């Protein structure tokens, strides 16, 4: 089978899977007991477009790998830039997270921005790891020059 149709089918399946679980990210009530993620009030923006975001998190349990993901938007809330991902330690204690990523498709500028951070676990389900959301935080922050 040619690679392109196979790749297109895989991407469509992934898009449908993400669309099916997207409403879970919108509900802050997804945090389990004693689980939370926070976003610091400031982020750093380097001249080359590298963004650094940070905060704290607490999570417990987990049967698969758990990550802290983050995204930043400016000007348009409908367009977000994914900024790195950090593997989480889910031992019930509070930990710091810091994600760094380079924005290349659109320029960000120092000033007001909106950040979302999510604790996501990849839970095994029938041989396919599916995302399970532990906690979400959204915050208006200030990007400062690094």
């Amino acid at each position: 089978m040619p690679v392109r149709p196979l790749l297109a089918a895989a991407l469509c399946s992934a898009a449908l899977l993400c669309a099916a679980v997207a409403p879970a990210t919108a509900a802050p009530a997804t945090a389990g007991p004693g689980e939370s993620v926070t976003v610091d009030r400031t982020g750093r923006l380097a001249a080359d477009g590298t963004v650094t975001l940070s905060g704290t998190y607490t999570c417990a349990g987990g049967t698969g790998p758990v990550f802290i993901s983050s995204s930043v938007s400016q000007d348009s809330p409908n367009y977000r830039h994914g900024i790195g991902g950090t593997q989480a330690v889910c031992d019930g204690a509070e930990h710091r997270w810091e994600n760094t990523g380079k924005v290349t498709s659109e320029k960000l500028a120092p000033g007001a921005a909106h950040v979302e951070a999510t604790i996501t676990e990849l839970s095994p389900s029938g041989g396919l790891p599916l995302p399970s959301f532990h906690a979400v935080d959204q915050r208006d922050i200030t990007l400062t020059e690094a």
Side-chain angles (χ1 to χ4, degrees), residues 2-94:
V3 175
R4 282 188 183 192
L6 187 60
L7 182 59
L11 290 174
C12 287
S13 297
L16 288 173
L17 178 63
C18 290
V21 297
T25 63
T30 58
E35 295 188 317
S36 66
V37 61
T38 68
V39 176
D40 290 342
R41 294 185 185 278
T42 59
R44 296 187 311 269
L45 175 62
D48 69 353
T50 301
V51 177
T52 303
L53 305 171
S54 58
T56 63
Y57 73 91
T58 304
C59 61
T63 57
V66 181
F67 299 92
I68 311 298
S69 62
S70 58
S71 64
V72 62
S73 62
Q74 206 174 44
D75 298 335
S76 173
N78 297 325
Y79 188 78
R80 295 182 188 179
H81 302 277
I83 305 298
T86 303
Q87 189 159 7
V89 177
C90 291
D91 60 2
E94 183 176 270

